[in-house]
Amino acid sequence: MDVIEYTPEPEQYAWTFGGVAPTHQIKPGSMLKLWTDDAFCGRLRNITDMPSVSLDMPYVNPQTGPFYVEGAEPGDTLALHIVDLTPARSWGASTTIPLFGGLTSTDRTVTLQDPLPERTWIYEVNTERRSVEFVAQSTELRLELPMAPMLGTVGVAPAAGEARSSLVPDTFGGNMDTPEMRAGSTCYLGVNVEGALFSVGDGHYRQGEGESCGTAVEGAMNVTLLVDLIKGGAPAWPRIESDDHLVVIGSSRPLEDAWRASQVDMIHWFGELYGLDKMDGYQLLTQISESPLANVCDANYSAATKVPKELLPAANAYDGMHRRLRELAASVV
Amino acid sequence: MDVIEYTPEPEQYAWTFGGVAPTHQIKPGSMLKLWTDDAFCGRLRNITDMPSVSLDMPYVNPQTGPFYVEGAEPGDTLALHIVDLTPARSWGASTTIPLFGGLTSTDRTVTLQDPLPERTWIYEVNTERRSVEFVAQSTELRLELPMAPMLGTVGVAPAAGEARSSLVPDTFGGNMDTPEMRAGSTCYLGVNVEGALFSVGDGHYRQGEGESCGTAVEGAMNVTLLVDLIKGGAPAWPRIESDDHLVVIGSSRPLEDAWRASQVDMIHWFGELYGLDKMDGYQLLTQISESPLANVCDANYSAATKVPKELLPAANAYDGMHRRLRELAASVV
Amino acid sequence: MDVIEYTPEPEQYAWTFGGVAPTHQIKPGSMLKLWTDDAFCGRLRNITDMPSVSLDMPYVNPQTGPFYVEGAEPGDTLALHIVDLTPARSWGASTTIPLFGGLTSTDRTVTLQDPLPERTWIYEVNTERRSVEFVAQSTELRLELPMAPMLGTVGVAPAAGEARSSLVPDTFGGNMDTPEMRAGSTCYLGVNVEGALFSVGDGHYRQGEGESCGTAVEGAMNVTLLVDLIKGGAPAWPRIESDDHLVVIGSSRPLEDAWRASQVDMIHWFGELYGLDKMDGYQLLTQISESPLANVCDANYSAATKVPKELLPAANAYDGMHRRLRELAASVV
Amino acid sequence: MDVIEYTPEPEQYAWTFGGVAPTHQIKPGSMLKLWTDDAFCGRLRNITDMPSVSLDMPYVNPQTGPFYVEGAEPGDTLALHIVDLTPARSWGASTTIPLFGGLTSTDRTVTLQDPLPERTWIYEVNTERRSVEFVAQSTELRLELPMAPMLGTVGVAPAAGEARSSLVPDTFGGNMDTPEMRAGSTCYLGVNVEGALFSVGDGHYRQGEGESCGTAVEGAMNVTLLVDLIKGGAPAWPRIESDDHLVVIGSSRPLEDAWRASQVDMIHWFGELYGLDKMDGYQLLTQISESPLANVCDANYSAATKVPKELLPAANAYDGMHRRLRELAASVV
């Protein structure tokens, strides 16, 4: 198995999906051991570091990659199995960026009101207890919260010659900010360009569903991935498979459209796996769907449609790709 | 303790919140043992029963009540503790009503397309196994799904002299269609009119988050409630407390607005419980919120903001109302 | 011709559509000469009168009526021809109500930001020049603006036993806040209950499309109406006919849904008038629709679909009702 | 004055804003005489030409350009004065593309319904009468409609390294599809990259507000432009000035957000021109805004905020750029 280790220098960061030359050419079946910087490029280190001063907009959310996957062609399906996500710093940061976030007016939902104040929170990582610590600034409250590492941003180059900011989620993946993108999961992405040109970034040590204020517990991350390729079968929207769940992530505005996209693609997936027609799929999904939000703060909102495998007949999505990668991961880590 | 048992006759069904005379006057501290008909008034009994023929629109979603609570005044908080929900029929029904549902154009999201076909599914109840059975019509697939009884509709009379259809959720509660409304939960509703005038209905034997096709596994339900009253403290949106979670349900369109309402009221709740200012509350919620959708099919959509108590300091919401009702329920059932 | 003159006393104001007993029973063919108070009940008279102090929420937007129209049954079409709108006071008022309006977060689009400041503007009416005067408070700017009287609120009782606040527009009409509701126009409303129970109010001496800040140049109005009835033919959404235009007003959230509703009903109207199938109607509308917004601030937003008659073949909507009422109006005024 | 004439070959068409090398380098003050192909690349010539067969998705909406403007730097304002728009073919075409348009579900607003049928309409151009002819297919109806040429797509390269499909409107302009983009208008666009890299295309011989079915009377166009540059002053959203109106175009989803963006930027413009603070600007706009929709069918919707100059004090936007270009145009045509 090819194993590629890569820690990008700041000048190697990618800021878009599409429009960037690959840093590596890799074979399906490769393992990647990557380092990803946090969305703030490590610049928020103290509660006195304010985004308006410390950040160099729009240079946030740097990506590691893109990677050119040999043999990947438009219409194929890229499989990325997340073997491991380990925090690469001893602290994470979160902040309120003026006119960004879910509970404020923004550059997309413009009002005449003043922005909310800037405030930065630093979360110390307790590696042993696998936790991070929330420290309130208006009271003495401190809370130990379980660590739950995930990748906010996973995507391929978009179709139609587009290059999209790493802050945007869409059909190509990107900044979906879903907690479902955790170790043990396999993400399926439709390939739009030769080589797929995928990249990853935006590690979160923990994030609630919706990413309300726009920034999770952001932290640099060591990322281990297995990469594989399925000829054909490109899904309309990013799909995720874990041992326990099937998930589809839709991204759009308004939020119901993100949800609708994820729902309809799940119904298509039911059709592929079980031969259900769309009406039976619609009915079944109505009774078993979990619908946790991913982000309600980005340029597109993202919603997950998630179904527990235990409620469904055994199936073999993508010819058992997830199980195979899971076993492979177990054998190498 | 006053115990009121009540099974309404069809002519006693209420079809609105507000605008209906109370069927009973009750004291805070009473227990209600109610029967509620299903949203279809029991008219869909076979997969050949089609909504366009069998239903008498808009006479769907009948409510049991309203109940006048002595001493309840505008600004007070009604507490409804759901002691028990037990299916009152041996089958539940679900269907696709033309131009109603989350994955079709509707009378609110109008397009020129043809409606989806009508199809009705009947779910047999297995009381012993506490399950219902999905039977596909396009394949041989049958799936046993765990029963998960809930009330789709719980609400009080709205403010400002309005009377709202029992199909609508809003600040007064109503047709929120959230699976969080299950036995063991306490629902807090702001009182808008003297006596509160609450009613309940729309039993679901099971429902996924979002209620995609617009109808859950709809079934008549035996409902046991404990009713209590808190002077003052009316929340902006319905709140739910269980042993494990705090929940707020927001209802609006587009869906992000339903979510925003539930998020901001949860931040207010954090302020009440822990003294956090809004920025600290915003930050904490960002990292711990669960955001399961309730319905994306009704006249307003409903979204839940839900936080696990185990991540938070011990608190005593509404002076321990939930715990007290929980204990009382245990003593009487 | 029956002529009814009516100036309600404050205790006779209606605050909802539906849920209110009629003040008068009238015959189709009657003329009404009404006085309507402004949305603020005349309480904002000076730039120092602030809404948070002077208004008695939710008692704003009082309606004159409702009127019971003899013979009107569900499914019929009420025709209201606006003969004349004349300002009944020498000043109009506009203001910014905290957390109400199109360019602020609201109780429906909740954020954590502070509300915009309250500010009240008084517009002196110049009857001779038919103008009102805008007086800036941050500069010396004064602008004379043409008077353009309209009714913000025209509606019937809603269906399904609902009673809706006079602040809400929907299929029953209500607070549509469209400048198309001016003298010379005929409004067609579907009847939902016996007697139709229509009322009118919310005079605006002038309003831009969208009613951005939520309040127009609000002023008491003398309203002359001709009332008639068409058996059957109830439109899905309020329609307006003038000498020059056909208009449909849709009301919903998000705004595209308000627009969609108005568009699709206009395509239906094309079908009724010209026999075009829906695809031809869709195409024709695409090339000739005017789409001025009505309000983007109320509980539902309202959008107009408007087509110039001069681009269309001569037609006889509702058997020439508008022309007949127009001629009748000319004969009596 | 430099005069550049340019008719691109099909292989020179640009399909994105950004990510394309300039075809020409021009000086501020130049005149461009361009030919633009229609959105269908001239492939729909007969009512039997169906989009699913004749179009080569996503290669629709080809752009002429981009043009590199000497001296243009990020933060500057590009001024494009449209001197003349003359149809370059004797027919225009419109069609219904499956799952594209305002009154159908789409790839962004996904439902389970079948798409609407494909149908193509051909509009003969009558040059003398300056009209186009609508020919119904379900009836004998034929209607002569006034020609009203406009450009659907005008934009610069976006910021942050993005390349966006020519089907998308956003802050950089692009596929706004507003009838306000007609001869006699000056469009102001904020510059994001060195040289601005603007391009134009998507000629419409006529279009209603909203572009309901997604395609106007699409036709190849001869386009005469005057290009100039203002140092600094980049507006947040595209602005248009004509002899009679000031206009801002906002683009987003949901539609109210497109409108909000255009409204707030108009209030900023009022501040620049008249020194009004935001509250006075909000109030004035409330009473004088026209709000015609542009498109409700593209990847972002576009809305115009438009104010008549005759209601405002005389002003000199961008130091009289529009007037100067208008005079220059008169002197050269």
Side-chain angles (χ1 to χ4, degrees), chain C residues 77-79 186-190 230 235 237-239 241 317-318 321-322:
Chain C
T77 305
L78 181 71
T186 303
C187 177
Y188 303 106
L189 291 160
I230 298 148
W237 290 92
R239 294 174 176 180
E241 183 177 1
Y318 296 103
M321 175 64 82
H322 170 72

Side-chain angles (χ1 to χ4, degrees), chain A:
Chain A
M1 179 193 295
D2 286 1
V3 178
I4 296 97
E5 302 201 22
Y6 176 48
T7 295
E9 295 300 313
E11 62 273 15
Q12 293 174 304
Y13 291 173
W15 306 100
T16 54
F17 289 90
V20 186
T23 59
H24 298 76
Q25 178 157 340
I26 64 174
K27 289 184 170 35
S30 300
M31 177 178 277
L32 299 186
K33 299 194 161 195
L34 308 174
W35 181 89
T36 60
D37 204 348
D38 71 45
F40 307 129
C41 304
R43 293 178 178 203
L44 300 186
R45 295 168 169 264
N46 197 292
I47 65 169
T48 56
D49 294 334
M50 290 296 115
S52 61
V53 174
S54 297
L55 300 184
D56 178 24
M57 302 297 289
Y59 297 103
V60 290
N61 217 24
Q63 299 300 298
T64 297
F67 299 91
Y68 182 103
V69 180
E70 294 178 10
E73 294 172 307
D76 289 347
T77 304
L78 180 71
L80 297 176
H81 180 71
I82 305 178
V83 179
D84 184 66
L85 297 176
T86 298
R89 289 204 187 101
S90 62
W91 47 269
S94 189
T95 194
T96 47
I97 299 174
L99 301 179
F100 181 72
L103 303 181
T104 171
S105 54
T106 67
D107 65 337
R108 291 281 120 187
T109 303
V110 187
T111 78
L112 292 168
Q113 291 161 285
D114 291 333
L116 291 169
E118 293 184 276
R119 193 182 287 177
T120 295
W121 294 260
I122 301 297
Y123 290 77
E124 293 301 321
V125 171
N126 187 322
T127 306
E128 203 169 300
R129 295 175 56 89
R130 290 190 59 78
S131 66
V132 293
E133 191 185 34
F134 167 74
V135 182
Q137 298 182 30
S138 57
T139 70
E140 299 297 305
L141 186 67
R142 288 165 174 262
L143 289 176
E144 186 180 18
L145 303 174
M147 202 187 290
M150 52 163 278
L151 285 178
T153 309
V154 174
V156 294
E162 285 205 316
R164 304 298 304 278
S165 158
S166 60
L167 293 170
V168 178
D170 211 313
T171 52
F172 61 88
N175 196 27
M176 298 177 283
D177 284 322
T178 172
E180 307 301 328
M181 201 69 80
R182 61 173 74 90
S185 295
T186 303
C187 178
Y188 303 105
L189 292 160
V191 174
N192 300 302
V193 303
E194 260 192 40
L197 292 174
F198 78 88
S199 58
V200 300
D202 194 24
H204 295 169
Y205 297 171
R206 177 176 183 85
Q207 183 207 298
E209 295 165 0
E211 204 186 11
S212 317
C213 83
T215 63
V217 181
E218 310 280 336
M221 196 79 83
N222 292 310
V223 178
T224 307
L225 296 177
L226 285 168
V227 182
D228 214 333
L229 184 69
I230 298 148
K231 294 307 289 182
W237 290 91
R239 295 175 176 179
I240 298 171
E241 184 178 1
S242 68
D243 293 355
D244 301 328
H245 289 90
L246 302 177
V247 185
V248 179
I249 310 294
S251 298
S252 195
R253 287 195 175 201
L255 183 55
E256 55 265 36
D257 279 356
W259 176 82
R260 283 175 177 138
S262 69
Q263 290 270 304
V264 169
D265 193 54
M266 183 62 83
I267 290 170
H268 291 164
W269 206 356
F270 284 175
E272 298 165 22
L273 296 177
Y274 307 116
L276 291 174
D277 74 2
K278 71 183 180 184
M279 297 309 291
D280 273 346
Y282 191 20
Q283 173 58 212
L284 178 58
L285 188 59
T286 299
Q287 314 310 348
I288 69 172
S289 180
E290 299 173 17
S291 297
L293 297 178
N295 92 73
V296 196
C297 55
D298 293 323
N300 284 319
Y301 302 138
S302 300
T305 289
K306 183 175 172 181
V307 295
K309 287 182 171 178
E310 66 179 4
L311 296 183
L312 294 168
N316 223 18
Y318 296 104
D319 282 325
M321 175 63 80
H322 170 72
R323 198 182 53 249
R324 206 159 58 240
L325 292 175
R326 194 83 167 107
E327 290 166 3
L328 187 57
S331 75
V332 295
V333 180

Side-chain angles (χ1 to χ4, degrees), chain C residues 123 138 209 212 263 280 291, chain D residues 138 209 212 263 280 283 291:
Chain C
Y123 290 76
S138 58
E209 295 165 0
S212 316
Q263 290 270 304
D280 273 345
S291 296
Chain D
S138 58
E209 295 165 358
S212 316
Q263 290 270 305
D280 273 345
Q283 173 59 214
S291 296

Side-chain angles (χ1 to χ4, degrees), chain B residues 112, chain C residues 256 259-260 262-264 267 279 281-292 304-307, chain D residues 38-40 44 60-61 63 92-97 99-104 106 116 121 123 148 150-154 166-169 174-181 201-219 221 249 251 253 255 291-304:
Chain B
L112 293 168
Chain C
E256 55 265 36
W259 175 83
R260 283 174 177 139
S262 69
Q263 290 270 304
V264 168
I267 291 170
M279 297 309 291
Y282 191 19
Q283 173 58 215
L284 178 59
L285 188 58
T286 299
Q287 314 311 348
I288 68 173
S289 180
E290 299 172 18
S291 296
T305 289
K306 183 176 174 182
V307 295
Chain D
D38 72 43
F40 308 130
L44 300 186
V60 289
N61 217 25
Q63 300 300 298
S94 188
T95 194
T96 47
I97 300 174
L99 301 180
F100 181 73
L103 303 181
T104 171
T106 66
L116 291 168
W121 294 261
Y123 290 76
M150 51 162 279
L151 285 178
T153 309
V154 174
S166 60
L167 293 169
V168 178
N175 195 26
M176 298 176 284
D177 285 321
T178 171
E180 307 300 329
M181 200 70 79
D202 194 23
H204 295 168
Y205 297 170
R206 178 177 183 84
Q207 183 207 300
E209 295 165 358
E211 205 186 11
S212 316
C213 84
T215 63
V217 182
E218 310 279 337
M221 196 77 83
I249 310 295
S251 297
R253 287 195 176 202
L255 183 56
S291 296
L293 297 179
N295 93 73
V296 196
C297 55
D298 294 322
N300 283 319
Y301 303 139
S302 299

Side-chain angles (χ1 to χ4, degrees), chain C residues 1-30:
Chain C
M1 179 193 297
D2 285 2
V3 178
I4 296 98
E5 301 199 25
Y6 177 47
T7 296
E9 295 300 313
E11 63 273 16
Q12 293 174 301
Y13 291 174
W15 306 100
T16 54
F17 290 90
V20 186
T23 59
H24 299 75
Q25 178 158 341
I26 65 174
K27 288 185 170 34
S30 299

